[in-house]
Amino acid sequence: MLAIFAVQLTLAVLVTSVFACIQYRPLLFFSSGHTNNWAVLVCTSRFWFNYRHVANTLSVYRSVKRLGIPDSHIVLMLADDMACNHRNPKPATVFSHKNMELNVYGDDVEVDYRGYEVTVENFLRVLTGRLPPSTPRSKRLLSDDRSNILIYLTGHGGNGFLKFQDSEEISNVELADAFEQMWQKRRYNELLFIIDTCQGASMYERFYSPNLMALASSQVGEDSLSHQPDLAIGVHLMDRYTFYLLEFLEDIHPSSKANMNDLFKVCPKSQCVSTPGHRTDLFLRDPGSALITDFFGSVRKVEITMETINLTEPIQQTYSYVDQLPVSEIIHQKPKQKDWHPPDGFILGLWTLILLVFFKTYGMKHLKHIF
Amino acid sequence: MGLLSDPNRRRALISLLTRLNAPICVVCYMAGVAWFMGLAFEPFTLRTYMSENAMGSTMVEERFPAGERALGTGREFSAHKKKAGGMPVDWLVKTMQSRGLEVFTQRFSRRLPFPDEDKERYMVKGTNVYGILRAPRAPRTEALVLSAPCSPGDDNNQAVGVLLGLAQYFRNQVFWAKDIIFLVNEHDLIGMQAWLEGYHHTNTTGMDWSPLQGRGGSIQAALSLELSSDVVTSLDLVLEGLNGQLPNLDLANLFYAFCQKIGVLCTTQGKLQRNDWDSVSGYSHAVQTMMLMVMKQASGRPWGDHGLFLRYHIEAATIKGINSFRQYKTDATTIGRLLEGMYRKLNNLLERLHQSYFFYLMPSLSHFVSIGYYMPAFGLLALILLLRALDLWIQLATPPPRTEDGVADAEQMSSPGVLSVLTPLVISHLTGVALYTLPIHFQEIAVEHFPVSETEAVVLTAIAVYTAGLALPHNTHRLLTGRGTENGWKVLKLVAVLYLAVLLGCTALINFSLGFILALTLVPVAAFVTPDVPKALSAFIMVILSPACTLLFSVFLFQELQEMPVSFLDGWMLYLSVISQGILDHALYGSLVYPLVALLVYPCWLLFWNILFWK
């Protein structure tokens, strides 16, 4: 009698424990919060001597495709065509390593915005989704509130701006506002922003929307340097930061557990000469828990189960978008740098003094000429 | 009250100006000369650097392999040249076609106004041959030119050989974004002028040429190669072009950068660069190099075949191979590589060279002085003229002090008539026109009556007219207005000084060297000549400082600077040939030095001569 009861008890405990594990698997399943991945890769400079910017963008494109994001989820914007440039001694190729080790152009590159279509306006429209109805799907960023987006920008930049095509600029304020629009329209779950330009850190200074993580290749006041020239082609092939980023990404495979803290270590000052920077204060998760493949890859977790699972309990965290962060505090985080003006009373007094001296010297009779 | 409207302050300023005028003028002159000499001092110069972003650094791999074959081609060319007795047109056309270029020829002919004794030609007929290497993938909108002259005798055979070798090598590359035109021109500058006129559809010098059948788009840059030996010890860069125009400094920077990369010895003005700028000999070396450039620029003649490109806003330079007695020699393959590197970099250009300076002086190939630094030297000299003009204006405006003789006062108070000023002006300019037109027009008459050749006739007529001008004008004003009034010469001098200031200013803007050299000699004359100075001495000094004598001294100085000093007789013959070359340059290529001197500077100087003999 007792033995049967004991067996029943252990069986019950086993079943409930097994049942409990399955019960909690949805939580594990949705722990990262995203269900699809997008990438927006932009090269903003044209002309043959800016070969390295196109090579940068194409290397990131290559890694992102290799890790699983399909072309339909990548918006690739290249401002100039290096592969078919008349000056390219190896036509139809763009190399990222000298001695022509790695051709990042290949034969399955799909460029969505090319040449003069890469403008600030088009970039912002892609981000915010405000495109004319005739725009084809390949040119749209059709992300939703469960998308993780990787945004990579490269080109020539300065303190607070990025130059597009030699004729216009995008400022860090515009970029921050675009991301806020995306947040309010629920166009992303988490966003990773990487920029490889001179003084790149200035571009993420003004962000104030939640769930943004940013990396830049150099701090304000520093230049990002190019890596290596290829004498046969006659130009610099890559920028240093993206070169070491590419090396790092080549070791990542779709099931890799490397996380963002490893990404922050890419290209220390000894290799990059400039100091790469990153910003994680707006990111709600711990960066150590965010995997590289959360942004660079398109990993789908698939678990086959024969059981039916009752999702009776709602998931604990409620995502109320607008109130998630004290936005007003963040916007006014940095004290605005005001130029010093002398106090107003001082200026008034100064002018009164000047007028008095004038009238004393030249006599009050001049008053009638003034008034 | 304002500074100039307050009468007290005005009087103080005016008296300051009149009292200190001569000392300030002297100080300005010394300062101007010292500033000019100081330009060559190395701490006052800037190092050259590449300004054009598209050209970047010397980051190409040069792989030209066929130097020896190029020299062999050069020898073939020389043999065919001897056989044809001129340009071997058929052989050149066949060779270029076999290298895959599109080949065209152009015939031209020109009768010189008088025979050229230096190059022994009068009736010039020739053919230019050029081959176009079409860019494999680019539209035919832009072109680069590489040219080598076909010279009589044994000169420049290796240049044509290297040109053909490079043509073959370039044809095998796919990275050309511009067409490359390989040009072999006959009769050096005349042929080049015909080709450029045909290419750009202009006809400014009255030459006869057949139209060009093939074209390559707008020319972005051109290099002319002069190479007469199989090995060279150094490469010389020649920049000065027609009317003293210089190519963009980036072209010189490109050449220097590649010389350093490949390790070839490079010079400018034929003078090697020295490192000891703080020693006296180092500084004088830099001064010599700069003075050579100044004199070459002032002569207004193109010193290489590239000189004629500059007028069409095409940056061009000539590279000369020099074989002197040095141990380290450079072979043709290295020269080919240097040219290949330069052309690959020029290929990367997106627009014409415009980022660097167009007006500069080079005391050495690695240092330059830009217009902002050298113009104050001229400004100080021009200031003297303005001070003198102000002084004369003040003197003319203040009434003279009363004397007892009222009659003399009344005479002096009358303002001089316009005629007494206009007459010397008109007569001086007519003499100038005579100096410009008579030598060429009357050469036949001169040859009939005197036992001289045509060239000598032209030159001697010019000198005769110049000397006759000394005697002619200064008597006429006495015929017109009686004894010259006191104010008459002052008004004339005021007009003449302002005229000279404007003339020299405009000249210095276009051709700084010419303006500066003329200013150096004419400004003292203009400042200090009055009817009251001792006549004989000042007449002598004025003749010494006149443009013709300046030219004579410049010829001797030029020979000294090139370390080939000449005796007086040789120098005189050289001087005569310089005058004839100047007149020929004007007739053939449109050089402006001869008309400027004959029609404007010489009459201005005659005005001052007139003032000297006013009484």
Side-chain angles (χ1 to χ4, degrees):
Chain A
M1 253 325 247
L2 252 145
I4 298 167
F5 181 63
V7 167
Q8 268 188 339
L9 197 61
T10 35
L11 214 59
V13 167
L14 267 168
V15 168
T16 38
S17 65
V18 166
F19 194 60
C21 284
I22 297 174
Q23 192 82 1
Y24 284 114
R25 264 193 228 156
L27 289 168
L28 292 172
F29 193 86
F30 287 113
S31 66
S32 64
H34 74 285
T35 58
N36 56 74
N37 284 86
W38 285 81
V40 178
L41 310 174
V42 184
C43 160
T44 58
S45 27
R46 54 171 40 238
F47 303 139
W48 174 245
F49 55 89
N50 288 322
Y51 184 100
R52 59 190 185 280
H53 296 140
V54 172
N56 289 349
T57 318
L58 285 172
S59 325
V60 177
Y61 173 80
R62 170 204 156 75
S63 310
V64 147
K65 256 181 95 158
R66 195 174 50 80
L67 291 171
I69 303 185
D71 272 317
S72 55
H73 282 228
I74 302 177
V75 177
L76 179 61
M77 304 170 83
L78 296 180
D80 201 357
D81 178 15
M82 295 307 166
C84 297
N85 193 309
H86 309 308
R87 295 167 181 80
N88 194 346
K90 303 274 174 233
T93 60
V94 173
F95 290 107
S96 63
H97 286 63
K98 68 174 175 196
N99 300 326
M100 295 171 278
E101 279 171 26
L102 185 58
N103 173 17
V104 290
Y105 197 68
D107 54 359
D108 60 346
V109 168
E110 201 180 285
V111 181
D112 301 306
Y113 285 84
R114 63 196 64 209
Y116 288 109
E117 291 171 355
V118 179
T119 58
V120 174
E121 185 191 340
N122 280 348
F123 176 60
L124 290 177
R125 282 186 185 279
V126 163
L127 288 183
T128 54
R130 294 205 171 88
L131 287 160
S134 56
T135 318
R137 282 182 74 88
S138 59
K139 286 186 166 181
R140 289 178 186 264
L141 178 66
L142 295 165
S143 55
D144 53 26
D145 60 325
R146 288 263 174 251
S147 309
N148 272 11
I149 308 183
L150 165 72
I151 297 188
Y152 176 81
L153 293 175
T154 182
H156 288 289
N159 190 356
F161 67 92
L162 170 64
K163 183 176 77 152
F164 266 70
Q165 298 238 25
D166 245 20
S167 58
E168 50 183 6
E169 298 160 358
I170 186 173
S171 64
N172 49 3
V173 175
E174 276 182 311
L175 198 57
D177 286 342
F179 287 157
E180 174 65 11
Q181 282 189 54
M182 288 175 78
W183 176 251
Q184 298 215 356
K185 290 172 75 163
R186 304 187 184 182
R187 279 170 69 76
Y188 69 91
N189 174 39
E190 283 166 351
L191 199 148
L192 176 64
F193 175 76
I194 305 184
I195 183 161
D196 187 352
T197 64
C198 302
Q199 307 193 52
S202 63
M203 288 305 281
Y204 61 63
E205 270 171 8
R206 297 298 190 118
F207 289 173
Y208 55 93
S209 316
N211 277 342
L212 292 177
M213 180 153 40
L215 282 113
S217 59
S218 57
Q219 301 294 330
V220 174
E222 285 181 349
D223 287 338
S224 285
L225 301 175
S226 53
H227 187 241
Q228 46 181 312
D230 183 324
L231 295 181
I233 302 182
V235 286
H236 285 284
L237 293 184
M238 283 274 266
D239 280 328
R240 280 176 188 253
Y241 183 75
T242 312
F243 181 80
Y244 290 108
L245 180 69
L246 176 65
E247 253 185 29
F248 171 76
L249 287 173
E250 290 286 302
D251 288 334
I252 307 285
H253 51 87
S255 59
S256 160
K257 292 290 170 212
N259 56 39
M260 284 297 154
N261 285 334
D262 301 322
L263 192 60
F264 298 151
K265 293 201 204 97
V266 162
C267 211
K269 194 172 163 96
S270 54
Q271 280 177 327
C272 253
V273 186
S274 58
T275 320
H278 53 89
R279 180 176 179 179
T280 53
D281 56 321
L282 293 165
F283 201 67
L284 292 177
R285 287 195 286 153
D286 170 34
S289 67
L291 301 177
I292 302 281
T293 48
D294 280 352
F295 292 99
F296 283 88
S298 185
V299 184
R300 291 195 175 10
K301 294 195 190 60
V302 177
E303 283 192 32
I304 304 182
T305 171
M306 300 301 186
E307 319 276 344
T308 50
I309 298 171
N310 273 337
L311 299 173
T312 50
E313 274 176 51
I315 303 185
Q316 289 303 334
Q317 279 182 304
T318 50
Y319 294 98
S320 60
Y321 284 82
V322 182
D323 302 323
Q324 202 157 4
L325 280 183
V327 177
S328 49
E329 275 176 36
I330 293 176
I331 295 178
H332 298 299
Q333 240 172 18
K334 278 176 86 120
K336 286 213 195 92
Q337 264 199 337
K338 269 211 252 195
D339 298 324
W340 180 80
H341 289 292
D344 296 322
F346 175 75
I347 296 177
L348 204 61
L350 190 66
W351 275 105
T352 320
L353 190 66
I354 291 172
L355 280 172
L356 277 173
V357 169
F358 174 75
F359 287 126
K360 190 160 163 36
T361 323
Y362 293 103
M364 295 299 280
K365 64 182 188 300
H366 288 283
L367 257 181
K368 68 173 185 291
H369 296 296
I370 307 293
F371 297 112
Chain B
M1 271 235 190
L3 196 64
L4 291 176
S5 47
D6 182 5
N8 288 328
R9 290 210 195 109
R10 207 173 171 187
R11 250 177 269 132
L13 261 179
I14 289 171
S15 70
L16 196 75
L17 206 63
T18 41
R19 265 187 308 121
L20 293 179
N21 207 320
I24 294 181
C25 288
V26 171
V27 165
C28 277
Y29 189 79
M30 312 285 256
V33 174
W35 189 295
F36 181 74
M37 298 307 280
L39 289 174
F41 190 50
E42 197 165 298
F44 296 159
T45 59
L46 293 169
R47 287 199 79 91
T48 54
Y49 55 93
M50 286 299 294
S51 299
E52 174 68 56
N53 217 355
M55 287 215 286
S57 57
T58 55
M59 194 172 40
V60 283
E61 201 178 342
E62 305 92 2
R63 288 204 221 105
F64 177 65
E68 295 307 314
R69 216 174 332 146
L71 292 178
T73 318
R75 282 188 279 272
E76 261 189 65
F77 173 71
S78 152
H80 284 269
K81 189 165 67 164
K82 270 199 206 42
K83 203 165 65 157
M87 175 90 122
V89 177
D90 297 323
W91 179 83
L92 261 179
V93 167
K94 205 158 49 78
T95 319
M96 281 192 181
Q97 272 175 345
S98 73
R99 278 157 171 73
L101 309 177
E102 287 178 21
V103 189
F104 306 96
T105 59
Q106 181 201 28
R107 304 171 70 81
F108 61 92
S109 74
R110 177 80 156 110
R111 193 166 73 90
L112 274 60
F114 53 90
D116 182 354
E117 284 189 349
D118 281 354
K119 298 206 182 90
E120 284 157 21
R121 55 191 182 189
Y122 177 54
M123 196 46 213
V124 172
K125 270 202 187 63
T127 320
N128 293 328
V129 178
Y130 64 104
I132 307 182
L133 189 158
R134 297 287 181 194
R137 294 172 281 147
R140 299 167 180 191
T141 48
E142 291 173 346
L144 299 169
V145 174
L146 177 62
S147 81
C150 169
S151 313
D154 272 332
D155 289 332
N156 288 324
N157 295 328
Q158 285 83 354
V160 176
V162 168
L163 180 134
L164 292 171
L166 278 175
Q168 185 164 31
Y169 178 70
F170 284 0
R171 185 72 178 86
N172 292 331
Q173 313 302 321
V174 297
F175 48 69
W176 297 111
K178 304 182 206 289
D179 293 345
I180 304 188
I181 304 178
F182 295 92
L183 168 68
V184 181
N185 53 323
E186 198 175 358
H187 299 297
D188 49 84
L189 285 168
I190 299 183
M192 187 60 89
Q193 180 71 17
W195 189 80
L196 281 170
E197 282 187 358
Y199 199 88
H200 293 99
H201 306 292
T202 59
N203 198 332
T204 50
T205 57
M207 208 183 297
D208 236 338
W209 36 261
S210 64
L212 295 186
Q213 303 297 322
R215 250 184 131 260
S218 97
I219 304 179
Q220 305 289 298
L223 283 178
S224 177
L225 190 60
E226 287 179 25
L227 192 61
S228 303
S229 57
D230 282 355
V231 288
V232 293
T233 53
S234 61
L235 287 175
D236 193 44
L237 184 70
V238 184
L239 294 169
E240 301 82 14
L242 188 66
N243 290 328
Q245 200 175 352
L246 298 170
N248 197 296
L249 189 59
D250 263 338
L251 202 56
N253 298 337
L254 184 68
F255 176 73
Y256 183 61
F258 270 100
C259 282
Q260 285 199 304
K261 179 185 180 200
I262 295 191
V264 181
L265 207 58
C266 286
T267 61
T268 184
Q269 320 301 338
K271 284 201 181 298
L272 204 52
Q273 203 171 319
R274 284 170 65 143
N275 286 334
D276 54 343
W277 53 265
D278 43 358
S279 70
V280 172
S281 53
Y283 169 69
S284 78
H285 187 87
V287 166
Q288 281 172 32
T289 318
M290 196 178 76
M291 280 307 297
L292 271 172
M293 179 170 182
V294 162
M295 306 200 82
K296 282 190 183 174
Q297 195 184 5
S299 69
R301 61 192 318 236
W303 286 87
D305 284 358
H306 72 286
L308 299 171
F309 280 93
L310 298 169
R311 196 184 356 208
Y312 298 95
H313 199 48
I314 300 170
E315 312 309 327
T318 300
I319 299 179
K320 281 166 50 163
I322 298 184
N323 193 7
S324 65
F325 303 104
R326 234 180 264 280
Q327 202 180 9
Y328 189 74
K329 300 215 187 275
T330 311
D331 64 343
T333 314
T334 320
I335 298 177
R337 287 205 178 151
L338 188 134
L339 287 169
E340 180 198 349
M342 284 183 79
Y343 271 87
R344 272 203 79 172
K345 279 289 144 186
L346 288 172
N347 182 38
N348 283 354
L349 279 179
L350 296 152
E351 37 188 2
R352 286 181 196 272
L353 286 168
H354 68 283
Q355 301 278 5
S356 190
Y357 300 92
F358 286 102
F359 297 96
Y360 50 89
L361 292 175
M362 295 189 90
S364 73
L365 202 52
S366 64
H367 289 84
F368 75 99
V369 182
S370 70
I371 185 171
Y373 285 98
Y374 67 58
M375 215 33 128
F378 176 79
L380 286 166
L381 293 182
L383 189 62
I384 297 174
L385 292 174
L386 293 177
L387 285 173
R388 273 290 167 208
L390 270 175
D391 186 34
L392 282 165
W393 179 262
I394 293 165
Q395 282 179 25
L396 283 171
T398 52
R402 285 217 151 272
T403 63
E404 290 102 51
D405 193 349
V407 180
D409 263 4
E411 239 182 73
Q412 284 179 337
M413 284 287 279
S414 67
S415 62
V418 173
L419 210 56
S420 76
V421 170
L422 206 57
T423 319
L425 264 175
V426 168
I427 294 183
S428 313
H429 281 90
L430 282 177
T431 321
V433 169
L435 181 59
Y436 178 67
T437 51
L438 288 186
I440 298 184
H441 278 172
F442 290 156
Q443 54 171 313
E444 294 107 18
I445 303 179
V447 166
E448 271 177 40
H449 292 278
F450 298 101
V452 287
S453 67
E454 280 98 344
T455 321
E456 285 173 5
V458 169
V459 173
L460 294 174
T461 314
I463 296 181
V465 173
Y466 189 93
T467 325
L470 296 181
L472 183 60
H474 74 268
N475 287 311
T476 50
H477 76 268
R478 283 188 207 166
L479 298 170
L480 283 170
T481 55
R483 199 174 70 85
T485 58
E486 176 65 22
N487 278 358
W489 71 264
K490 283 193 183 159
V491 172
L492 182 62
K493 185 170 177 190
L494 179 64
V495 168
V497 160
L498 288 175
Y499 179 34
L500 185 68
V502 167
L503 184 65
L504 288 179
C506 295
T507 313
L509 277 178
I510 300 171
N511 188 343
F512 165 76
S513 311
L514 184 61
F516 189 76
I517 290 180
L518 286 175
L520 267 182
T521 50
L522 290 177
V523 161
V525 163
F528 291 105
V529 77
T530 61
D532 303 319
V533 292
K535 292 248 186 318
L537 181 64
S538 16
F540 178 68
I541 293 179
M542 268 198 79
V543 170
I544 293 287
L545 292 177
S546 74
C549 282
T550 315
L551 184 60
L552 182 63
F553 293 141
S554 311
V555 167
F556 282 106
L557 181 63
F558 187 66
Q559 291 299 121
E560 275 289 333
L561 286 172
Q562 285 196 315
E563 288 160 24
M564 290 189 296
V566 286
S567 66
F568 183 73
L569 210 59
D570 286 333
W572 177 255
M573 299 310 290
L574 200 59
Y575 173 66
L576 295 181
S577 82
V578 162
I579 297 181
S580 75
Q581 288 294 317
I583 301 176
L584 270 179
D585 278 350
H586 169 63
L588 285 175
Y589 321 121
S591 159
L592 293 173
V593 175
Y594 179 65
L596 178 81
V597 170
L599 292 173
L600 294 172
V601 174
Y602 175 62
C604 199
W605 182 83
L606 273 183
L607 286 176
F608 291 110
W609 184 258
N610 204 334
I611 293 172
L612 182 63
F613 290 101
W614 190 259
K615 293 191 180 134

